[in-house]
Amino acid sequence: MPDNSASDETYTTAAAIYEKISELVVGQEPARRDLSTLLAMHLAWFSTGVPDISHSSPNALVIGPTGVGKTHAIKTAAAALKIPLVIVDATQLSPHGYQGMSLEDVLIELVSASRRIISRTRNWKAVEWESGEFEEDGIRELDELETARRGIIFIDEFDKLSTKNKATGERNELLQRRLLQFIDGASVVLNPKPDHAEEEITFETSGILFIAAGAFTNLLHDTGKRSQEQMRDMLQHNHVILEDLVRFGFMEELVARLPVIIEFSELETEALEEILRTKAVDPSLFYIRYLASLGTKLTVTDQARTEIAERARRLRIGARGLHQVLFPILALLSQDLEEDRVAEFTLDVEQVRKLARRVEARRNVRGQDSQ
């Protein structure tokens, strides 16, 4: 039998998961705590022996603007917890798989992710099982399926499955109904190797944690259409409820099966500035390393970080705005430094503003040339 005693650090409690996520996800305090608790509950459900399918862990809907850390938080947690994870773009899904990706394809991806998790965890080549069965790589099909059954399917851009759009309404309704079947728990026959029909496997979806995510822009703009009973029960009216999602174009039966709603908020200047101060996620380190390869040591002052964070905040695209601010000014700076060969350069707030003005001037010239 393999020796599995040597393993990486494990995270079993909500507090431990929260601490791990907090190393790489800045801000979003309530969302991080809720997500950590959900994942801890999911793990606990599987650790109690044979899971009770009738009382499975609840699925979730994650709502928040682009670039605020929704996908990043899930990736961080799944990697730390060694949970198989598949991230799929809802716009790439197809009800039957003729064009795009079917939900069966997503399950096959989950099984593949399970194999990778097992391989990294065990790190051994071959094993002879008690049954006498021998597998060359030490991974049995049963292991893959059992690990995949506790996996996570993360459906990004979920809001794009709304039926309100006339062009995609019929397709999206079919997808919603198909997804409902999988979330409810289905026994699905999969064929990971289409050329070998005899290698079909049966996969039970009831243990999977489904997390759907999307920006849901303008979701709360018509809260006046909520029932008066619901409004009376809410202390604050700026939180999402099932009625809002139904009005947005989702089947009530589907959103009812995503009962946990975790809301990520827009990143303000302070949070963006904290990202620039957190080594594990600071995007400016990419440019610092690049300039170092050119022979220049770049130092970014605290005031410059504040200026960059404020400019990124105004773009309203979350952490992605940091790269959108950093790239043009530091690309221009790198071009200058390639010519001047400066050994050290300090990027202060005045330099940020000066470079930004030069970038804007360049864009204006290009705009005039194209007219």
Side-chain angles (χ1 to χ4, degrees):
M1 292 295 290
D3 179 12
N4 294 332
S5 58
S7 62
D8 295 333
E9 185 177 1
T10 57
Y11 305 87
T12 56
T13 66
I17 297 170
Y18 170 80
E19 290 300 323
K20 184 61 182 177
I21 294 176
S22 300
E23 292 177 9
L24 296 173
V25 179
V26 173
Q28 312 298 351
E29 172 75 13
R32 278 186 285 139
R33 290 201 178 275
D34 288 347
L35 179 61
S36 301
T37 302
L38 175 66
L39 293 173
M41 290 177 174
H42 180 64
L43 289 178
W45 183 63
F46 273 96
S47 66
T48 55
V50 179
D52 181 359
I53 300 301
S54 61
H55 297 91
S56 60
S57 53
N59 301 298
L61 178 61
V62 179
I63 296 176
T66 183
V68 297
K70 302 187 297 294
T71 307
H72 183 53
I74 296 294
K75 282 183 176 180
T76 300
L81 299 171
K82 300 181 181 64
I83 298 177
L85 168 68
V86 173
I87 298 175
V88 57
D89 188 321
T91 62
Q92 302 301 313
L93 287 174
S94 167
H96 306 294
Y98 302 127
Q99 291 182 330
M101 190 178 194
S102 70
L103 287 170
E104 286 81 0
D105 293 331
V106 175
L107 293 179
I108 291 172
E109 286 290 323
L110 190 63
V111 174
S112 297
S114 169
R115 167 173 279 266
R116 291 192 293 272
I117 291 285
I118 296 171
S119 297
R120 287 196 297 268
T121 302
R122 293 180 176 175
N123 193 26
W124 40 276
K125 298 296 183 182
V127 59
E128 186 171 0
W129 299 90
E130 291 178 355
S131 64
E133 177 185 359
F134 183 81
E135 291 290 343
E136 187 172 321
D137 60 1
I139 299 175
R140 295 181 302 176
E141 180 181 286
L142 180 61
D143 297 321
E144 291 181 355
L145 293 178
E146 287 180 348
T147 304
R149 279 192 62 225
R150 66 180 181 88
I152 301 172
I153 292 179
F154 184 84
I155 306 173
D156 204 3
E157 303 289 348
F158 184 71
D159 48 329
K160 303 300 190 298
L161 295 186
S162 167
T163 58
K164 281 194 169 184
N165 187 323
K166 292 182 180 180
T168 59
E170 184 176 347
R171 163 191 169 276
N172 286 351
E173 183 177 353
L174 287 173
L175 267 173
Q176 287 191 31
R177 293 189 181 282
R178 189 83 174 114
L179 185 58
L180 176 61
Q181 295 174 344
F182 278 64
I183 293 177
D184 254 349
S187 182
V188 184
V189 176
L190 305 177
N191 188 0
K193 300 177 182 178
D195 295 335
H196 300 79
E198 69 278 4
E199 295 187 23
E200 288 183 342
I201 59 176
T202 301
F203 191 102
E204 297 289 338
T205 67
S206 52
I208 297 171
L209 177 61
F210 287 87
I211 300 179
F216 287 87
T217 306
N218 299 328
L219 177 65
L220 296 178
H221 280 198
D222 58 351
T223 54
K225 294 181 181 179
R226 291 172 174 171
S227 66
Q228 291 187 2
E229 181 181 9
Q230 281 284 5
M231 296 292 273
R232 281 196 302 268
D233 290 341
M234 298 180 72
L235 294 177
Q236 292 183 323
H237 299 155
N238 61 340
H239 294 292
V240 177
I241 60 174
L242 184 144
E243 284 185 24
D244 302 327
L245 297 164
V246 173
R247 281 198 315 277
F248 199 84
F250 281 87
M251 296 168 49
E252 184 172 349
E253 300 92 332
L254 177 58
V255 294
R257 285 161 176 80
L258 300 168
V260 176
I261 298 178
I262 300 175
E263 297 184 53
F264 279 65
S265 57
E266 198 166 75
L267 294 177
E268 296 300 332
T269 302
E270 293 77 10
L272 292 167
E273 193 173 348
E274 186 179 348
I275 291 173
L276 292 170
R277 297 178 190 278
T278 304
K279 188 174 182 180
V281 292
D282 176 10
S284 71
L285 292 179
F286 171 82
Y287 303 97
I288 290 173
R289 292 188 183 109
Y290 175 68
L291 289 171
S293 73
L294 300 178
T296 299
K297 179 183 177 182
L298 177 67
T299 301
V300 183
T301 68
D302 289 342
Q303 292 78 10
R305 289 190 181 92
T306 302
E307 177 72 13
I308 292 165
E310 175 56 28
R311 287 172 178 266
R313 182 198 64 79
R314 294 200 292 265
L315 296 174
R316 294 297 178 191
I317 56 173
R320 296 186 179 96
L322 293 170
H323 268 299
Q324 194 160 328
V325 172
L326 285 165
F327 177 79
I329 64 174
L330 293 181
L332 183 57
L333 177 61
S334 70
Q335 293 158 20
D336 291 343
L337 295 176
E338 281 188 83
E339 295 179 4
D340 297 339
R341 298 295 180 182
V342 177
E344 295 187 10
F345 188 91
T346 298
L347 185 68
D348 57 25
V349 65
E350 289 305 319
Q351 287 290 350
V352 170
R353 292 170 181 170
K354 180 181 177 181
L355 288 164
R357 287 194 295 268
R358 288 178 58 196
V359 168
E360 195 60 31
R362 271 189 171 190
R363 289 171 176 166
N364 290 338
V365 170
R366 289 174 188 161
Q368 292 170 6
D369 290 343
S370 64
Q371 292 178 359

